[in-house]
Amino acid sequence: MKLTGDQLKVTQLTEKHVRLLLRHRLDFFREFNIPYEKSWPSNAILIALPLYYDQLLKKEQSNLFGPCMIQLLLTNQIIGEFNLKQIDHCIEIGYHIFPRHRNNGYATEALKLVCKYIDQIKEIDLIRAYCYKNNKISLHILKKIGFQIKIIEDVITLERGKEA
């Protein structure tokens, strides 16, 4: 999956991406001509990479699941990440924009790109995102693009049905 918007591109990590990241992170940045980003990948993605790589090699990996990088179109710089996980007919999404790149509309653009892509997949009925109830900005962004609050506890679950 490679999605392109006005300012950004969202790219799901391929077998080659993951192999280079697991071998030596600097090789990844050199190979793909991406400016080095010390914050990427996050610990959450780093921990999952070996399992993801194994699933890619065994061809068990769904095209609808896995880590993605969010990059600026003009500079190729990584400014954040997505993780997509398919559970039955639902896609759970998690995302993170690095603090120095926030308040530029990047999270909104990236979420719109990913949701538009998922909306085209007929096997998927629901998109689910989680955020902490005190994360007012993320909550605002998710609600703005059509997610609705489903459950409130310490973590807020927001869901978005597919558009007709």
Side-chain angles (χ1 to χ4, degrees):
M1 170 186 78
K2 189 170 192 173
L3 309 172
T4 304
D6 294 333
Q7 305 176 85
L8 306 174
K9 60 183 171 181
V10 178
T11 307
Q12 185 173 2
L13 299 185
T14 65
E15 182 181 322
K16 184 175 182 179
H17 290 132
V18 178
R19 184 174 57 251
L20 289 169
L21 283 168
L22 289 172
R23 186 177 73 200
H24 193 269
R25 283 178 59 209
L26 288 177
D27 290 345
F28 167 85
F29 290 100
R30 284 188 203 113
E31 175 77 19
F32 294 103
N33 196 30
I34 297 172
Y36 178 72
E37 175 54 61
K38 67 180 180 179
S39 303
W40 190 86
S42 67
N43 287 335
I45 287 182
L46 279 174
I47 290 167
L49 280 180
L51 175 61
Y52 179 66
Y53 185 66
D54 187 51
Q55 291 172 331
L56 284 171
L57 290 176
K58 292 177 181 175
K59 307 296 184 214
E60 294 173 355
Q61 193 59 39
S62 163
N63 290 332
L64 306 176
F65 170 71
C68 304
M69 56 185 160
I70 303 170
Q71 296 170 271
L72 292 175
L73 278 177
L74 291 178
T75 63
N76 218 26
Q77 181 180 13
I78 297 173
I79 62 159
E81 61 193 19
F82 257 101
N83 200 13
L84 307 175
K85 182 177 182 182
Q86 182 177 353
I87 300 174
D88 297 324
H89 298 284
C90 175
I91 295 284
E92 291 185 349
I93 61 173
Y95 69 95
H96 177 74
I97 301 293
F98 302 138
R100 67 184 176 281
H101 295 288
R102 292 179 185 162
N103 300 314
N104 292 300
Y106 299 146
T108 301
E109 182 176 343
L111 280 162
K112 283 180 178 178
L113 284 171
V114 169
C115 288
K116 183 178 177 183
Y117 170 77
I118 294 169
D119 283 345
Q120 297 172 8
I121 302 165
K122 49 188 162 169
E123 298 86 24
I124 302 303
D125 299 324
L126 189 67
I127 305 170
R128 182 176 290 134
Y130 299 95
C131 73
Y132 291 105
K133 63 182 176 183
N134 62 350
N135 188 342
K136 305 284 187 214
I137 294 171
S138 190
L139 184 58
H140 172 75
I141 292 167
L142 289 163
K143 286 169 61 176
K144 179 170 67 172
I145 63 168
F147 283 80
Q148 297 176 346
I149 295 175
K150 186 71 173 182
I151 302 168
I152 300 179
E153 291 176 6
D154 284 341
V155 174
I156 295 176
T157 302
L158 296 102
E159 296 180 347
R160 180 178 181 270
K162 287 183 64 170
E163 296 183 12

